[in-house]
Amino acid sequence: MIDTSRSPHPNFPPSLSITPNQTFHKLFFPSQGSPDEDHHRALAFGIEAQREAISKYGIAGRIWESAHALSSYVNSDSSLEFDPPFVDDSRGPEGAPFVAIELGSGTGAVAARIARVIPPGLGGFIVVTDLPDVCPLLEDNLGVRTPPTRATGNGTHTREDFVFVRPLAWGNLDHATSITEEFGLSRDCPYANVNQVYFPELFGPLLRTLIHLTSPPCIPPRPSSSPVKLVVSYKIRSLHMETPFWTAFGLWFSFQPVLARRRIPPVESALRNDDSDNPEPWRQFGADDDADRTFIFVAFRRPESMGWDVPESDRDLVGGIGARGTLGKKGDDTFEAILFMGMDDTGYT
């Protein structure tokens, strides 16, 4: 995830002690399809596979709990409807193809879910990324082999080549620009998906890469390009340790929580009752369980931030230095406001 020139063991933080995710593979990859596919999923995302991957790849080998929320959000067959949806239906067959870059992909479990919702035949694809030494795990789990280069120009991708694995160390501008140049992402409207905001030593490099992917040369100068949409999944673990990331993130990006409510059953559904035509109020997705509170945030780069100087120090970046065009430390209060709104049971209108 982070640039290995900054840390000798980025996936093995001090006192690392983690165990495999016990439920993800059962919830999101139940037995279906061919026996070979089921066997591959069990091998790739099951408990024993994670245990082996953790020993070899550290934090990259575990499927984190925030992946549950992001996988539910991605699932077009979910019993919930979301605002905004993961895939914007208004893009239509004539619109820009669905393009995604996933950061810190680890085992590739979420990427496997995203790959299922990419409309076939419309030129969409996903670039799955992590540290160079984690890419072999992604290639094995997703069943892809990475070509050394990929020609661009016509924007055409077949169903057989719409998942790509590439190295992207957080904080490494060369990695970010290499991906955007290879895939021509500046012509499309990419989504950057992140589902790991846990370790303080990763906050600066992660924020730096998000700034890289939403700045020239990775994208053309505005207004010639569409804004990059960021989708970030986050499960609260240690609020006082994790809040500094969000106070820094909010300086550079405007963001809001994804809302959810139960879908209205179709007329022919056996689940309909007298209240079926009365939609539930919108609520923050994942806010119902205070003990296991998880968010999905959708974010866009603040236009005014394009002219700000990005400090070289990760500590300064997380401290807000350079944001709003000034050198003093500062933070944004969007995250705090979202926390308070989630405590209100009246719902959103």
Side-chain angles (χ1 to χ4, degrees):
M1 281 168 288
I2 65 174
D3 188 344
T4 53
S5 66
R6 298 168 179 256
S7 173
H9 300 290
N11 281 341
F12 292 88
S15 304
L16 177 65
S17 179
I18 57 177
T19 58
N21 185 308
Q22 303 288 315
T23 58
F24 183 91
H25 66 293
K26 297 178 182 178
L27 291 172
F28 297 102
F29 291 99
S31 296
Q32 59 182 11
S34 70
D36 288 344
E37 290 175 339
D38 293 340
H39 182 64
H40 176 76
R41 291 170 187 144
L43 290 178
F45 306 125
I47 295 172
E48 290 304 318
Q50 289 181 70
R51 184 174 289 113
E52 181 179 349
I54 289 169
S55 68
K56 185 174 182 180
Y57 300 101
I59 60 176
R62 187 183 193 276
I63 300 174
W64 295 90
E65 281 70 19
S66 60
H68 291 228
L70 190 52
S71 294
S72 295
Y73 182 44
V74 168
N75 183 11
S76 59
D77 296 327
S78 171
S79 61
L80 300 174
E81 60 177 335
F82 299 100
D83 181 24
F86 182 70
V87 178
D88 184 358
D89 293 336
S90 66
R91 295 162 74 91
E94 301 301 324
F98 177 88
V99 177
I101 304 175
E102 187 185 31
L103 308 183
S105 301
T107 64
V110 173
R113 296 292 302 177
I114 294 174
R116 289 183 169 192
V117 304
I118 298 177
L122 299 182
F125 59 97
I126 178 173
V127 183
V128 186
T129 73
D130 212 302
L131 286 171
D133 59 358
V134 179
C135 287
L137 174 64
L138 287 167
E139 292 172 352
D140 288 343
N141 286 354
L142 297 174
V144 300
R145 289 292 175 266
T146 302
T149 60
R150 183 181 184 280
T152 60
N154 59 11
T156 300
H157 304 263
T158 68
R159 190 66 177 174
E160 287 70 35
D161 71 350
F162 67 107
V163 178
F164 302 91
V165 175
R166 294 294 185 271
L168 177 51
W170 292 354
N172 189 312
L173 179 58
D174 289 339
H175 283 179
T177 54
S178 175
I179 289 173
T180 55
E181 289 174 358
E182 177 185 359
F183 291 93
L185 299 181
S186 62
R187 302 194 312 270
D188 300 320
C189 180
Y191 296 65
N193 300 288
V194 186
N195 67 345
Q196 289 182 328
V197 183
Y198 299 141
F199 300 100
E201 58 266 34
L202 306 184
F203 293 168
L206 171 57
L207 180 56
R208 190 176 301 278
T209 284
L210 294 175
I211 293 172
H212 287 163
L213 291 173
T214 54
S215 304
C218 290
I219 63 169
R222 289 188 177 184
S224 61
S225 64
S226 300
V228 176
K229 175 182 177 180
L230 305 182
V231 179
V232 185
S233 180
Y234 164 61
K235 177 183 181 294
I236 294 178
R237 290 176 173 269
S238 178
L239 193 59
H240 75 282
M241 291 181 62
E242 295 155 358
T243 296
F245 173 81
W246 298 111
T247 59
F249 178 80
L251 293 169
W252 295 85
F253 297 89
S254 61
F255 65 104
Q256 63 184 39
V258 168
L259 307 180
R261 66 183 179 187
R262 293 286 175 184
R263 293 184 187 272
I264 296 177
V267 174
E268 66 277 8
S269 173
L271 299 176
R272 288 183 64 85
N273 54 42
D274 292 341
D275 295 326
S276 291
D277 291 327
N278 298 320
E280 295 180 353
W282 292 103
R283 301 185 185 280
Q284 286 183 13
F285 178 50
D288 293 336
D289 187 351
D290 291 336
D292 195 28
R293 195 168 181 186
T294 305
F295 296 91
I296 302 287
F297 295 126
V298 172
F300 295 91
R301 183 73 179 270
R302 294 188 185 274
E304 65 272 20
S305 71
M306 292 297 186
W308 300 346
D309 292 330
V310 181
E312 294 185 4
S313 163
D314 289 338
R315 181 183 296 239
D316 288 347
L317 180 60
V318 175
I321 292 175
R324 297 176 183 161
T326 66
L327 296 178
K329 290 187 176 182
K330 63 191 73 71
D332 176 81
D333 61 2
T334 300
F335 181 62
E336 182 179 359
I338 290 173
L339 289 178
F340 281 114
M341 286 190 294
M343 297 176 184
D344 185 356
D345 288 335
T346 58
Y348 290 69
T349 57

